[in-house]
Amino acid sequence: MSWFYLILAGCFEIAWPVGLKLAQGVEQRLFGVILAVAGMALSGFLLWLAQKEIALGTAYAVWTGIGAAGTFLVGIWFFGDATTLGRYLGVILIISGVVVLKLAH
């Protein structure tokens, strides 16, 4: 169950930078701030639950890896962020590292 909590925490980790991005626009400012705060709270709570059985370093690396890769993809899909081979390679390396940490656990 701890790995489920950790993966869910990583998904909610994506919500807060997206919320902050949305909050930059006048029309979505309140929604963006609410999304960011809720994402931080849920992500932190789920990370706390996951760390009861998963080592601190592993949990933190997986949590941030999911958040970083997920935010990268959301930025491309919804906000028109740049796509280059180097950026994709970097995300593939992040995901590979997360997979290795899971397999080594």
Side-chain angles (χ1 to χ4, degrees), residues 64-83:
T64 57
I66 293 169
T71 303
F72 169 79
L73 293 174
V74 168
I76 289 171
W77 294 335
F78 297 104
F79 296 100
D81 288 357
T83 59

Side-chain angles (χ1 to χ4, degrees), residues 1-9 46-47 49-54 102:
M1 196 67 177
S2 292
W3 281 98
F4 173 75
Y5 291 145
L6 184 57
I7 290 167
L8 201 55
L46 290 165
L47 177 63
L49 288 176
Q51 287 178 337
K52 290 182 177 185
E53 294 182 17
I54 300 172
K102 168 62 175 124

Side-chain angles (χ1 to χ4, degrees), residues 1-69:
M1 196 67 177
S2 292
W3 281 98
F4 173 75
Y5 291 145
L6 184 57
I7 290 167
L8 201 55
C11 291
F12 279 109
E13 179 71 1
I14 298 166
W16 72 266
V18 171
L20 292 177
K21 179 70 172 175
L22 292 173
Q24 293 175 2
V26 176
E27 301 85 26
Q28 297 180 313
R29 183 160 293 147
L30 180 61
F31 173 73
V33 170
I34 291 169
L35 180 62
V37 171
M40 285 181 207
L42 286 168
S43 180
F45 176 71
L46 290 165
L47 177 63
W48 174 74
L49 288 176
Q51 287 178 337
K52 290 182 177 185
E53 294 182 17
I54 300 172
L56 171 66
T58 300
Y60 183 73
V62 171
W63 178 64
T64 57
I66 293 169

